[in-house]
Amino acid sequence: MASTEQTKVGVPSGKLSKAGVLSFLSAQGILIFFLIGMFVFSFFSEQFLSQSNIMTVVRQASIIGIIAVGVTVVIIGGNLDLSVGSMLSFSTVLVVDLHDKIGPTNAILLMFALTLMIGAVNGFLIGFLRLNSLIVTLAMLSAIQGFVLIYSGGQNVDIANQENTWFAFFGRGFVGGIAVPVLMFGLLAIVIQVVMSYTGYGRRIFAVGGNPMAAVYSGIRKNWCVFSTYLISAFCVACAALVLGSRVMGSQNNVGQGYELLVLAGIILGGTSLLGGAGSIWKTVIGVLILGFIQNGLLLMGYPYYIQWIVTWVIIILAVWLDLANKRKRLFTSHS
Amino acid sequence: MFKKTAIAASVMMMSITTAQAETTYRIGITQNNVGVDSYQTTYERAFEAAAAREENVDIVVLDAGGDVARQIGQMQDLIQQRVDAIIIWPTNGQAVIPAIRQAHSAGIPVIVTNSKIAEAGMEFIAAFSGPDNVQQGISSAEMMCDALGGEGQIVQISGQPGYTTAMERAGGFEGRLAEACPGVELLETQPGNWNRERAQRVMEDFLTKYDHIDGVYSGDDNMGVGALNAAKGAGRADDIIFIGATNFAVGYDAIARGEYYGSIYQSPVDDAEAALQTALDVLAGEDLPKMNFFDTPKITAENLEEFDRPVF
């Protein structure tokens, strides 16, 4: 993992100066903020640090987390994926609707195939045609949402026999006392973290995101690398759709709306730079959990919804600032 | 969107070329956001079907896609086309008032459907047609009171923040509950944004926060079923009374299974037909009340069979 983390806590060179302390604070700022936040939340709400609440928050964060793991890979590769929210709506509506028509096994297989196809389209346009990822995935966001509305005819879809289907396993099941969504989240995070840190493939993604030109000159097939990151992202979305559809046992056709922002928020909170070439899955997991605990904590404290959103985004902007300050080795810019 | 404009254009052409153009009313409708929810989608189909049954009605169907600016543009289009009446499902009860006023000054009667507009705009509309959401909140509070026998602790999961329907239902519920049922304490309200997954998360947090919850009031059944899912997951569903509004198919089924106490029956088909009828009555010069509410009865296991399973 060490090889993948390019920005590290600045070890003060020579004199232990104010800058050294500042840079430590800026690197660990969000963690400190998180710990203070946890302390405050636990002070106001005695249930906050209870085992059952922690389990609940982690389970709730799993859907965003599973997607964020995939999007982190895309971002490390130097691109963005804003279409994940719409894709989540698409995949969830599809798997829920097909569940009653062709049975759970076929529905899941077909849903994975079609979701990966959307990922392939994204990957082709961005990897091979070299179109801007922001524009492509923003366009896909609308296009896929339109497709969902046509497919569903604007109607909600529901699984008719909710009590009697093994499909419930993905959203509501437990294995060895751990909720299945949490298990999927953890497993995906570990596998992808290992791939990114310890395989040639992972190193190539970092290289492509860090310096595409150099990567190409060193013989990396950049097109394929970028293409593959979108397949990983789509695969993660399909997994998340499985959890979401099973958890709710139905789907609204705009169910994933706004998820792309929450996913990005989690990734940014974790400290992965949107510029590509740096970042880690592990940090994304932490970022997503922080996001989950903030929202849960504010809700337990009884804050109104608006306040929850404002506080969440203030914290995110703070995180971006700290991240940048860490790179500049100072909190404020000295010149305009 | 383009397709609808094309249909609108062809409808216009047809009405120009038809010999009986003088006797035909052209009614334009601009809706809020068809396709995002089942209710609005069903409403649109029912509206088109109802218009097709009327011999002397041509319709221009537009949808604002939830965008206030687009809806104002559509209002201006309809004024330009000189339709005989405009039905508007407001995207925002405040922001559409200038456009409604413009139609009013152009001599085109405006009928507001489903969601109310702000008081300042009421003098410019010919009539309102839709459900009485305050009354729905009141009915839900009465059901809650009955179900709990006047004693208990409840939580509320409200609709989209800032949305008139959500505020009216919550207001009606809270007001009536305090008045008729002082023994029932409303512990907390959080929005579920008409979204089942969000409601499920909110309810999970409520279940963590409160060891004792006797009832949940949800702004619609979609959220109510999310709350039910959460309670089932925590093994506490049997101790809690679930009451919702806008009876969805999932809510209907849950009432039938005995897991859900009750809801408010609100049919998008009634809603659409009432809007068209109100427009026709206005055009016929009938003396109408300004507020035309269609009936939204309480639905529980006892009278479930009197109602069709909702199609959405």
Side-chain angles (χ1 to χ4, degrees):
Chain A
M1 192 154 86
S3 66
T4 67
E5 288 179 15
Q6 305 199 339
T7 50
K8 286 267 64 171
V9 182
V11 179
S13 53
K15 52 197 169 192
L16 179 69
S17 60
K18 203 174 92 188
V21 176
L22 272 184
S23 107
F24 175 78
L25 276 180
S26 63
Q28 302 304 332
I30 206 63
L31 191 66
I32 294 166
F33 198 98
F34 177 53
L35 292 175
I36 295 172
M38 295 286 269
F39 179 75
V40 173
F41 285 146
S42 64
F43 188 71
F44 281 100
S45 158
E46 53 193 57
Q47 305 94 339
F48 183 69
L49 288 179
S50 70
Q51 195 195 348
S52 76
N53 188 51
I54 290 173
M55 296 287 281
T56 303
V57 175
V58 177
R59 200 175 68 225
Q60 290 175 349
S62 301
I63 295 171
I64 288 170
I66 289 169
I67 301 172
V69 163
V71 175
T72 305
V73 176
V74 172
I75 290 176
I76 291 175
N79 293 296
L80 280 176
D81 193 348
L82 296 179
S83 64
V84 287
S86 285
M87 275 168 81
L88 181 66
S89 302
F90 168 84
S91 310
T92 313
V93 165
L94 201 67
V95 76
V96 168
D97 182 58
L98 292 175
H99 176 279
D100 285 3
K101 293 179 179 158
I102 59 176
T105 314
N106 292 332
I108 292 168
L109 289 176
L110 195 58
M111 183 272 281
F112 265 82
L114 290 173
T115 309
L116 284 170
M117 256 175 59
I118 296 179
V121 172
N122 271 336
F124 175 75
L125 294 173
I126 296 158
F128 289 93
L129 299 190
R130 305 203 180 174
L131 304 181
N132 181 296
S133 66
L134 185 78
I135 312 261
V136 168
T137 56
L138 201 57
M140 284 299 264
L141 183 154
S142 302
I144 299 167
Q145 188 61 47
F147 187 79
V148 177
L149 293 177
I150 293 170
Y151 178 85
S152 66
Q155 302 288 337
N156 294 340
V157 288
D158 290 295
I159 290 174
N161 192 353
Q162 306 192 1
E163 308 303 320
N164 258 326
T165 168
W166 60 268
F167 187 70
F169 172 77
F170 300 105
R172 302 173 176 187
F174 286 85
V175 173
I178 302 173
V180 173
V182 178
L183 219 56
M184 281 174 76
F185 178 27
L187 221 61
L188 268 170
I190 291 168
V191 168
I192 295 181
Q193 172 74 69
V194 166
V195 166
M196 293 305 286
S197 299
Y198 301 107
T199 66
Y201 170 76
R203 276 192 290 278
R204 286 197 285 278
I205 303 291
F206 273 99
V208 165
N211 189 339
M213 206 60 108
V216 170
Y217 284 131
S218 61
I220 293 173
R221 289 193 292 175
K222 183 190 151 204
N223 299 358
W224 281 105
C225 277
V226 170
F227 178 78
S228 69
T229 60
Y230 283 95
L231 287 189
I232 292 176
S233 173
F235 180 82
C236 289
V237 171
C239 293
L242 215 53
V243 172
L244 179 57
S246 162
R247 186 172 137 79
V248 179
M249 279 293 163
S251 181
Q252 282 158 283
N253 43 48
N254 60 345
V255 71
Q257 206 172 49
Y259 265 73
E260 57 281 336
L261 282 181
L262 291 171
V263 163
L264 274 183
I267 293 172
I268 296 166
L269 269 176
T272 292
S273 158
L274 291 184
L275 300 174
S280 88
I281 306 296
W282 167 242
K283 284 181 163 186
T284 291
V285 171
I286 298 293
V288 168
L289 292 181
I290 291 178
L291 193 68
F293 278 110
I294 292 171
Q295 295 197 326
N296 168 267
L298 291 171
L299 205 147
L300 287 186
M301 283 166 71
Y303 276 108
Y305 185 65
Y306 313 100
I307 306 285
Q308 292 173 30
W309 270 109
I310 294 168
V311 172
T312 305
W313 283 97
V314 164
I315 290 174
I316 289 163
I317 289 170
L318 200 68
V320 177
W321 176 44
L322 290 173
D323 181 51
L324 207 62
N326 178 40
K327 293 208 177 79
R328 293 181 189 136
K329 302 275 178 262
R330 64 180 72 209
L331 280 172
F332 302 98
T333 51
S334 52
H335 53 82
S336 54
Chain B
M1 198 57 247
F2 289 117
K3 204 170 131 200
K4 273 181 194 152
T5 322
I7 293 171
S10 61
V11 166
M12 215 171 82
M13 295 298 288
M14 273 162 58
S15 61
I16 291 167
T17 48
T18 325
Q20 50 184 354
E22 304 84 30
T23 58
T24 301
Y25 288 128
R26 236 152 39 83
I27 299 175
I29 179 167
T30 161
Q31 296 158 103
N32 176 2
N33 203 352
V34 176
V36 297
D37 71 46
S38 302
Y39 187 92
Q40 295 197 33
T41 310
T42 310
Y43 177 105
E44 183 181 77
R45 286 193 199 134
F47 185 84
E48 283 166 348
R53 283 196 298 272
E54 300 285 339
E55 278 173 11
N56 60 339
V57 171
D58 277 339
I59 52 171
V60 183
V61 179
L62 302 172
D63 174 32
D67 182 348
V68 179
R70 194 191 292 176
Q71 186 161 52
I72 291 169
Q74 290 177 346
M75 286 289 289
Q76 284 158 351
D77 275 356
L78 291 171
I79 296 168
Q80 288 286 319
Q81 292 182 30
R82 302 235 32 106
V83 293
D84 297 303
I86 297 175
I87 300 175
I88 178 171
W89 183 325
T91 48
N92 178 312
Q94 189 72 50
V96 296
I97 291 175
I100 289 176
R101 189 174 169 179
Q102 229 177 326
H104 178 74
S105 326
I108 300 171
V110 177
I111 293 90
V112 174
T113 181
N114 187 279
S115 307
K116 288 177 194 156
I117 59 166
E119 199 53 45
M122 289 304 285
E123 56 178 306
F124 306 117
I125 70 169
F128 167 85
S129 158
D132 186 344
N133 285 302
V134 177
Q135 179 54 47
Q136 293 195 9
I138 290 172
S139 300
S140 294
E142 288 166 357
M143 273 196 280
M144 185 65 86
C145 203
D146 290 347
L148 293 179
E151 288 291 330
Q153 294 184 326
I154 61 164
V155 291
Q156 178 179 207
I157 300 175
S158 54
Q160 188 89 40
Y163 199 78
T164 315
T165 308
M167 292 188 285
E168 287 183 345
R169 282 187 195 161
F173 180 82
E174 289 163 17
R176 182 66 183 150
L177 193 73
E179 176 187 297
C181 227
V184 174
E185 185 194 358
L186 177 58
L187 296 168
E188 191 174 344
T189 301
Q190 285 285 344
N193 297 2
W194 311 129
N195 179 315
R196 198 188 303 173
E197 208 267 333
R198 158 98 192 159
Q200 202 163 324
R201 260 186 291 154
V202 168
M203 188 63 193
E204 283 172 353
D205 289 345
F206 278 158
L207 289 166
T208 304
K209 190 168 175 180
Y210 302 108
D211 291 332
H212 189 85
I213 297 175
D214 297 308
V216 183
Y217 169 56
S218 311
D220 76 9
D221 277 358
N222 206 17
M223 298 190 294
V225 169
L228 175 63
N229 282 343
K232 274 192 195 170
R236 287 167 65 178
D238 293 340
D239 309 331
I240 300 175
I241 296 289
F242 295 89
I243 287 168
T246 316
N247 190 230
F248 283 66
V250 275
Y252 187 92
D253 293 344
I255 294 174
R257 283 198 304 270
E259 295 173 343
Y260 203 85
Y261 183 85
S263 183
I264 305 292
Y265 198 78
Q266 182 190 323
S267 158
V269 178
D270 292 349
D271 200 355
E273 287 172 356
L276 183 66
Q277 193 54 53
T278 307
L280 289 174
D281 289 349
V282 166
L283 286 170
E286 281 178 33
D287 198 16
L288 284 185
K290 200 130 204 181
M291 306 305 285
N292 300 272
F293 298 119
F294 66 87
D295 204 22
T296 51
K298 298 174 188 170
I299 176 169
T300 61
E302 277 168 29
N303 63 354
L304 192 68
E305 280 163 16
E306 297 165 25
F307 299 92
D308 294 331
R309 184 174 183 270
V311 292
F312 60 97

